[in-house]
Amino acid sequence: MKHQLQQKFNEIYHKEAQHAYFSPGRVNLIGEHIDYNGGLVMPCAITFGTYLLISPNQDNVFRFKSLNFDENPEVNVQDSYKKDNDGWFNFPLGVIEHFTKDGHKITGLDMLFFGDIPIGAGLSSSASIEVVTAYALNELFNAGYDKLELVKIAKSVENNFMGLNCGIMDQFAVAFGEKDKAIVLNCDTLEYDIVPSNLGKYVLAIINTNKSRKLVESKYNERVEECQTALKDLNKELGLEYLCAINAATFDKHKNLITDEVVRKRAQHVVEENDRVRLAADALAANNLSEFGKLMYASHDSLRALYEVSGKELDAVVEYAKTNPQVAGARMTGAGFGGCAIALVHQDAFGTFSKELEAYYTDKIGYAPSVYQSLIGDGVGTLLVSSEA
Ligand code: GLA
């Protein structure tokens, strides 16, 4: 892969790339839509991700080139940068803006990006490109940030430059992920454990519904606001910093403080999902995959019925999974509204699972999903840049 990219870089820029970096995407095993509520989440980095080959130039210009998109803009080095419509290059541009605003002198760069994560499918292609850019700039310009600071920069780019009020899970996962490990992250304190993602006889399937997601930003930001309303209502009597500061039993006692029925449902999901993550972490540590799977199903049901971020495509995947005794559990992963689901499938049954699911889904939805067996990989890092590598 790197060798081909180095050749491409050569073709485009007529020189060698001096540096190369990779940042993965992620799946979230459980703990959905609770990172921005101070909850516990359990993501893993995957082996799909974003490559960045980069060399400084003397031309005072940022050249953004991607093998995934036709748009290849050039932006002059300036004192500040603004988001430019919906172009893919806004993610790295936002990172450049952040470093510049923080007082780092970011000079001209020739960049080549390539991603093998399905784009916009809920596997954090955005966090991946943000984090790989932040990591590269940090190294090239000796900015001196540690990894957690880079994660916070990437999140701030998503929030302030791109306008999505997301939590910290995705950027954290793609930076701190480790091969064959899951992260149990407390999004309030940012304390985390790296735990073995010991799936025993099961493998992790990623099912891309291939439903193009629309209006994700506005619906996502609407959910964030609903959670803020719920918190305000609960704080008529309680003094909570986040919704996830209480468990389901406490929520039950006070839920009537929340006046709007829809907002109450949203808060119920958040609080119960947080409890589920604790149980899921215990189940994983005890190698109890069947319990883990049940919690995945419960998570999906809650995201469908209470949080209303699923859809007929994601539901079809989970409906099929429930009919197959070789599947321990399945759920949507990421923001939802289309995108990807994950399933824990017995290793001997993966082939049949794929085939049957494809048939079931195509019959119901009218087009095929894409089914992958996912490997859990390492977080962001440097790649060696020899054209032989
Ligand atoms: C998106 C956001 C994350 C998180 C998930 C839902 O991936 O970027 O911060 O909120 O949705 O769990």
Side-chain angles (χ1 to χ4, degrees):
M1 173 70 70
K2 226 185 323 150
H3 175 55
Q4 286 161 4
L5 289 175
Q6 183 63 270
Q7 280 180 343
K8 277 276 170 204
F9 192 96
N10 248 305
E11 274 169 35
I12 297 163
Y13 293 117
H14 310 293
K15 62 182 182 187
E16 294 272 303
Q18 287 176 14
H19 310 272
Y21 303 94
F22 174 78
S23 175
R26 66 97 192 90
V27 291
N28 184 21
L29 296 180
I30 192 158
E32 216 65 86
H33 280 280
I34 61 173
D35 59 345
Y36 51 85
N37 290 301
L40 269 185
V41 295
M42 207 194 286
C44 321
I46 54 178
T47 49
F48 301 127
T50 312
Y51 296 80
L52 167 58
L53 272 65
I54 188 165
S55 277
N57 67 43
Q58 303 305 319
D59 310 329
N60 259 326
V61 67
F62 299 117
R63 299 194 177 95
F64 296 95
K65 171 94 194 163
S66 162
L67 298 182
N68 302 91
F69 299 96
D70 293 334
E71 208 179 357
N72 300 304
E74 297 198 355
V75 176
N76 289 330
V77 172
Q78 296 156 42
D79 295 337
S80 91
Y81 307 88
K82 291 246 154 359
K83 183 172 179 239
D84 183 355
N85 297 313
D86 290 326
W88 68 271
F89 59 92
N90 282 303
F91 294 100
L93 187 65
V95 177
I96 292 174
E97 158 70 4
H98 200 294
F99 273 67
T100 307
K101 218 175 50 203
D102 272 2
H104 302 288
K105 198 170 160 23
I106 307 298
T107 49
L109 294 167
D110 294 333
M111 294 169 267
L112 175 63
F113 291 90
F114 171 70
D116 59 4
I117 324 177
I119 289 163
L123 301 178
S124 291
S125 49
S126 325
S128 179
I129 189 171
E130 288 156 3
V131 168
V132 80
T133 310
Y135 192 91
L137 296 188
N138 194 41
E139 290 222 335
L140 290 179
F141 296 96
N142 295 316
Y145 296 116
D146 64 24
K147 206 150 67 166
L148 185 58
E149 286 168 325
L150 295 178
V151 165
K152 290 181 180 171
I153 288 172
K155 174 180 181 285
S156 152
V157 168
E158 190 74 54
N159 294 160
N160 303 316
F161 200 79
M162 303 306 294
L164 184 78
N165 295 327
C166 67
I168 201 162
M169 171 172 74
D170 300 352
Q171 291 79 10
F172 196 97
V174 307
F176 282 88
E178 288 183 22
K179 189 171 183 316
D180 297 330
K181 303 273 168 44
I183 307 171
V184 181
L185 170 67
N186 179 324
C187 298
D188 172 16
T189 61
L190 298 186
E191 282 163 10
Y192 67 99
D193 282 328
I194 301 281
V195 302
S197 58
N198 192 352
L199 303 181
K201 292 196 164 31
Y202 288 88
V203 292
L204 187 66
I206 297 184
I207 305 100
N208 186 351
T209 60
N210 291 328
K211 167 168 191 237
S212 61
R213 306 193 299 169
K214 288 200 193 88
L215 298 174
V216 181
E217 283 84 2
S218 58
K219 287 189 200 156
Y220 186 96
N221 289 345
E222 184 184 288
R223 293 296 178 282
V224 176
E225 273 170 34
E226 287 165 340
C227 290
Q228 285 159 357
T229 307
L231 185 65
K232 234 204 236 143
D233 280 356
L234 287 170
N235 278 344
K236 285 183 240 159
E237 283 182 14
L238 307 172
L240 310 175
E241 207 172 323
Y242 290 113
L243 281 181
C244 289
I246 49 173
N247 61 17
T250 312
F251 176 75
D252 224 41
K253 279 191 217 131
H254 297 94
K255 64 181 181 203
N256 290 333
L257 290 168
I258 304 176
T259 43
D260 186 293
E261 202 185 317
V262 172
V263 171
R264 204 180 310 134
K265 282 203 304 188
R266 306 292 191 243
Q268 187 187 335
H269 161 76
V270 168
V271 171
E272 292 178 353
E273 179 79 352
N274 195 42
D275 288 353
R276 270 191 289 273
V277 181
R278 278 200 200 93
L279 297 172
D282 292 346
L284 193 63
N287 289 333
N288 189 345
L289 273 306
S290 115
E291 178 61 18
F292 194 91
K294 282 185 198 141
L295 292 162
M296 289 172 79
Y297 281 136
S299 167
H300 185 84
D301 289 345
S302 175
L303 288 157
R304 175 180 52 73
L306 298 176
Y307 217 66
E308 297 181 276
V309 291
S310 185
K312 65 177 191 314
E313 298 80 5
L314 287 164
D315 291 345
V317 173
V318 174
E319 263 159 40
Y320 162 74
K322 284 183 176 170
T323 67
N324 185 333
Q326 304 293 337
V327 181
R331 56 184 292 279
M332 54 158 274
T333 193
F337 313 106
C340 287
I342 52 173
L344 277 186
V345 184
H346 195 284
Q347 61 191 19
D348 300 337
F350 187 80
T352 338
F353 164 82
S354 264
K355 265 201 219 107
E356 287 184 11
L357 170 60
E358 270 163 31
Y360 180 94
Y361 184 92
T362 309
D363 184 46
K364 192 138 200 184
I365 303 298
Y367 52 85
S370 307
V371 184
Y372 314 89
Q373 186 174 325
S374 169
L375 297 178
I376 297 178
D378 281 320
V380 66
T382 306
L383 301 173
L384 289 174
V385 274
S386 121
S387 31
E388 274 81 55

